[in-house]
Amino acid sequence: NKEVALGIFFASKDICQMSFAPLAAILTSKTSANTALIVSTVGLGLATFVFAEATTFWQLLLARGAQGAASAAVMCGGMSLIAETHPQNIRGSAMGLAQTGLAFGLLCGPLIGGLLFQRLGRRRTFRLAAGIVLANAAAMVGLMGLAPPERTEQKEKNGKKSSLVASSKRLLVNHDIMAVTASTFIIHAVLGVIKPLSQVVLDTEFGMTMMKRSFVISIATVAYFITAPFSGWLSDRMSRPRLVALSLVLMSGSSAFFALRHLGIWAFYTCVALLGVALGVQKSSSTSLLADLVDKHELGEYSVVYALSDVADSLGLIIGPIVGLWLSQVFSHSVGVLAIGALCLLLAPVVLRIQ
């Protein structure tokens, strides 16, 4: 069954990313943030190369799972590296810049990949992509090396007081950390249910072709790309908990405009744009806030908190579609999205209580 196979294929990346996030934290803690980032980038390049040579579905599934595992270490190592080397007063701008790079890849990757696929075919396209990723890893070795980076004074203080196990236990019982992690989960749960339903709605209710639907969905990526650096800059100048709470309100607004799409296509455009803005604000501000909380409560390793955030990210993208699509089948598309979007409003006051 092609539909089932595609569902398993795309879900495998998030499942593996979630499963390997704790191992990514261990790798980052036991080596260094830049070592974890470089090693995982090499793994990502090798997994991409497998896509070029794969001849069966199971080989493709293995490569997709390997991409998820490598992505966990890329995110954990990358975010930890920024947190370790940037003090609190400029950390938000650095996180925002990193999120901008991610958004740029999401925006350009499908477009360039599609054009190359048409001209070069599958194997050459994936070989070229794998080569670019491996060249990126080589450049990182040249620029950073494998030695641990020079850390901020606060990081040195935390690192001396907490082991990896102790840090993990203290993180899991810290209410502020769990509130920010919950915001990551629920934001991605809304994203996870809107993504598949948007394809159905744009096709059945607005009669859009695949190309037009892709254009509409790209509005979210453009909004994310524009918002991420600005929200990162803003998080260095105002309360980061307020920005995370704002992202939850924006995502709730996105779900509301999804339900108001009967008013016209403009409502759906607004839904998609708000979704991208909410993601940009939440990712830039929450990654900085998590590092701040680790410093404030002297919780030790940044890698553990970013692994926890990565688990919440992947879990939201898995559970969100399951629950949302079930509610959509039982009631309606709008009910499925609104139900999860309402949880954003319930969580916002909890995040605002973070000092």
Short mmCIF file of all heavy atoms in Angstrom, two decimals, residues 27-36 38 80-81 84-85 143-152 155-156 301:
data_model
loop_
_atom_site.label_atom_id
_atom_site.label_comp_id
_atom_site.label_asym_id
_atom_site.label_seq_id
_atom_site.Cartn_x
_atom_site.Cartn_y
_atom_site.Cartn_z
N LEU A 27 26.61 11.82 23.73
CA LEU A 27 27.73 12.07 22.82
C LEU A 27 28.27 13.49 23.00
O LEU A 27 29.49 13.70 23.08
CB LEU A 27 27.29 11.87 21.37
CG LEU A 27 28.29 12.24 20.27
CD1 LEU A 27 29.53 11.34 20.34
CD2 LEU A 27 27.64 12.15 18.88
N THR A 28 27.36 14.45 23.08
CA THR A 28 27.77 15.85 23.24
C THR A 28 28.47 16.08 24.57
O THR A 28 29.48 16.79 24.65
CB THR A 28 26.55 16.79 23.13
OG1 THR A 28 25.88 16.54 21.89
CG2 THR A 28 26.96 18.24 23.19
N SER A 29 27.95 15.47 25.63
CA SER A 29 28.52 15.66 26.96
C SER A 29 29.87 14.97 27.11
O SER A 29 30.79 15.52 27.71
CB SER A 29 27.54 15.12 28.01
OG SER A 29 28.07 15.23 29.31
N LYS A 30 30.00 13.77 26.58
CA LYS A 30 31.23 12.99 26.75
C LYS A 30 32.36 13.45 25.84
O LYS A 30 33.53 13.20 26.11
CB LYS A 30 30.94 11.51 26.50
CG LYS A 30 29.97 10.88 27.50
CD LYS A 30 30.50 10.96 28.93
CE LYS A 30 29.56 10.28 29.90
NZ LYS A 30 30.04 10.41 31.31
N THR A 31 32.03 14.09 24.73
CA THR A 31 33.07 14.59 23.82
C THR A 31 33.09 16.12 23.91
O THR A 31 33.67 16.68 24.81
CB THR A 31 32.82 14.11 22.38
OG1 THR A 31 31.50 14.54 21.94
CG2 THR A 31 32.90 12.59 22.28
N SER A 32 32.47 16.77 22.98
CA SER A 32 32.28 18.23 23.01
C SER A 32 31.17 18.56 22.03
O SER A 32 30.81 17.74 21.17
CB SER A 32 33.57 18.96 22.62
OG SER A 32 33.92 18.68 21.28
N ALA A 33 30.64 19.76 22.14
CA ALA A 33 29.53 20.14 21.27
C ALA A 33 29.95 20.17 19.80
O ALA A 33 29.22 19.70 18.93
CB ALA A 33 29.00 21.52 21.69
N ASN A 34 31.15 20.67 19.52
CA ASN A 34 31.58 20.73 18.12
C ASN A 34 31.91 19.35 17.57
O ASN A 34 31.68 19.07 16.40
CB ASN A 34 32.75 21.70 17.94
CG ASN A 34 33.86 21.49 18.94
OD1 ASN A 34 33.63 20.95 20.02
ND2 ASN A 34 35.06 21.92 18.59
N THR A 35 32.44 18.45 18.41
CA THR A 35 32.69 17.08 17.96
C THR A 35 31.38 16.39 17.60
O THR A 35 31.27 15.73 16.55
CB THR A 35 33.42 16.27 19.05
OG1 THR A 35 34.69 16.87 19.30
CG2 THR A 35 33.63 14.83 18.61
N ALA A 36 30.36 16.53 18.46
CA ALA A 36 29.06 15.93 18.18
C ALA A 36 28.46 16.49 16.90
O ALA A 36 27.88 15.75 16.09
CB ALA A 36 28.11 16.17 19.36
N ILE A 38 30.08 17.78 14.29
CA ILE A 38 30.83 17.31 13.12
C ILE A 38 30.54 15.84 12.82
O ILE A 38 30.28 15.47 11.67
CB ILE A 38 32.34 17.54 13.35
CG1 ILE A 38 32.65 19.04 13.36
CG2 ILE A 38 33.16 16.85 12.26
CD1 ILE A 38 34.03 19.38 13.86
N SER A 80 23.88 23.32 21.69
CA SER A 80 24.78 23.33 22.85
C SER A 80 26.01 24.19 22.57
O SER A 80 26.49 24.91 23.44
CB SER A 80 25.20 21.90 23.20
OG SER A 80 24.10 21.11 23.58
N LEU A 81 26.52 24.11 21.35
CA LEU A 81 27.70 24.89 20.97
C LEU A 81 27.42 26.39 21.09
O LEU A 81 28.24 27.16 21.61
CB LEU A 81 28.13 24.54 19.55
CG LEU A 81 29.37 25.24 19.01
CD1 LEU A 81 30.59 24.89 19.84
CD2 LEU A 81 29.59 24.88 17.54
N GLU A 84 27.03 27.32 24.83
CA GLU A 84 28.29 27.28 25.56
C GLU A 84 29.19 28.48 25.24
O GLU A 84 29.98 28.91 26.09
CB GLU A 84 29.04 25.99 25.23
CG GLU A 84 28.43 24.74 25.84
CD GLU A 84 29.19 23.49 25.44
OE1 GLU A 84 30.26 23.63 24.80
OE2 GLU A 84 28.73 22.39 25.77
N THR A 85 29.09 28.99 24.03
CA THR A 85 30.05 30.00 23.58
C THR A 85 29.48 31.41 23.53
O THR A 85 30.21 32.35 23.19
CB THR A 85 30.57 29.63 22.18
OG1 THR A 85 29.47 29.47 21.28
CG2 THR A 85 31.37 28.33 22.22
N LEU A 143 37.38 24.90 10.59
CA LEU A 143 37.05 26.13 11.31
C LEU A 143 37.06 25.97 12.83
O LEU A 143 37.48 26.87 13.55
CB LEU A 143 35.67 26.63 10.85
CG LEU A 143 35.56 27.15 9.41
CD1 LEU A 143 34.11 27.40 9.05
CD2 LEU A 143 36.36 28.44 9.26
N MET A 144 36.57 24.81 13.30
CA MET A 144 36.41 24.64 14.75
C MET A 144 37.38 23.63 15.35
O MET A 144 37.77 23.75 16.51
CB MET A 144 34.97 24.19 15.07
CG MET A 144 33.89 25.15 14.64
SD MET A 144 32.27 24.64 15.23
CE MET A 144 32.09 23.03 14.45
N GLY A 145 37.74 22.60 14.58
CA GLY A 145 38.52 21.52 15.14
C GLY A 145 37.66 20.64 16.02
O GLY A 145 36.44 20.83 16.14
N LEU A 146 38.27 19.64 16.66
CA LEU A 146 37.53 18.71 17.51
C LEU A 146 37.70 19.01 19.00
O LEU A 146 37.06 18.38 19.84
CB LEU A 146 38.00 17.27 17.23
CG LEU A 146 37.75 16.76 15.80
CD1 LEU A 146 38.35 15.36 15.64
CD2 LEU A 146 36.26 16.74 15.47
N ALA A 147 38.57 19.95 19.33
CA ALA A 147 38.77 20.30 20.74
C ALA A 147 37.56 21.04 21.28
O ALA A 147 36.87 21.74 20.54
CB ALA A 147 40.02 21.17 20.89
N PRO A 148 37.26 20.88 22.57
CA PRO A 148 36.12 21.60 23.16
C PRO A 148 36.27 23.10 22.97
O PRO A 148 37.37 23.65 23.08
CB PRO A 148 36.20 21.21 24.64
CG PRO A 148 36.94 19.92 24.66
CD PRO A 148 37.93 20.01 23.54
N PRO A 149 35.17 23.81 22.68
CA PRO A 149 35.24 25.26 22.49
C PRO A 149 35.48 25.99 23.80
O PRO A 149 35.28 25.44 24.88
CB PRO A 149 33.85 25.59 21.92
CG PRO A 149 32.96 24.55 22.51
CD PRO A 149 33.80 23.29 22.57
N GLU A 150 35.91 27.23 23.70
CA GLU A 150 36.07 28.07 24.88
C GLU A 150 34.68 28.41 25.41
O GLU A 150 33.84 28.97 24.71
CB GLU A 150 36.83 29.35 24.52
CG GLU A 150 37.10 30.24 25.71
CD GLU A 150 37.89 31.48 25.33
OE1 GLU A 150 38.42 31.51 24.19
OE2 GLU A 150 37.98 32.40 26.15
N ARG A 151 34.44 28.08 26.66
CA ARG A 151 33.11 28.22 27.24
C ARG A 151 32.96 29.53 28.01
O ARG A 151 33.94 30.13 28.43
CB ARG A 151 32.81 27.04 28.18
CG ARG A 151 32.85 25.68 27.47
CD ARG A 151 32.60 24.57 28.45
NE ARG A 151 32.46 23.29 27.77
CZ ARG A 151 32.13 22.16 28.38
NH1 ARG A 151 31.92 22.15 29.68
NH2 ARG A 151 32.02 21.03 27.69
N THR A 152 31.71 29.92 28.20
CA THR A 152 31.44 31.10 29.02
C THR A 152 31.72 30.75 30.49
O THR A 152 31.78 29.58 30.87
CB THR A 152 29.98 31.54 28.89
OG1 THR A 152 29.12 30.47 29.37
CG2 THR A 152 29.62 31.83 27.45
N LYS A 155 29.02 28.62 32.09
CA LYS A 155 29.05 27.21 31.70
C LYS A 155 30.12 26.46 32.49
O LYS A 155 29.91 25.33 32.93
CB LYS A 155 29.32 27.11 30.19
CG LYS A 155 29.55 25.67 29.70
CD LYS A 155 28.40 24.77 30.02
CE LYS A 155 28.73 23.32 29.65
NZ LYS A 155 27.70 22.38 30.10
N GLU A 156 31.27 27.07 32.69
CA GLU A 156 32.33 26.42 33.46
C GLU A 156 31.85 26.17 34.90
O GLU A 156 32.11 25.12 35.48
CB GLU A 156 33.57 27.31 33.47
CG GLU A 156 34.28 27.41 32.13
CD GLU A 156 34.95 26.11 31.73
OE1 GLU A 156 35.06 25.20 32.58
OE2 GLU A 156 35.36 25.99 30.57
N GLU A 301 24.66 20.38 32.17
CA GLU A 301 24.90 20.27 30.73
C GLU A 301 23.75 20.84 29.90
O GLU A 301 22.58 20.50 30.11
CB GLU A 301 25.13 18.81 30.34
CG GLU A 301 26.35 18.18 30.97
CD GLU A 301 27.63 18.77 30.43
OE1 GLU A 301 27.61 19.35 29.32
OE2 GLU A 301 28.67 18.66 31.10
#
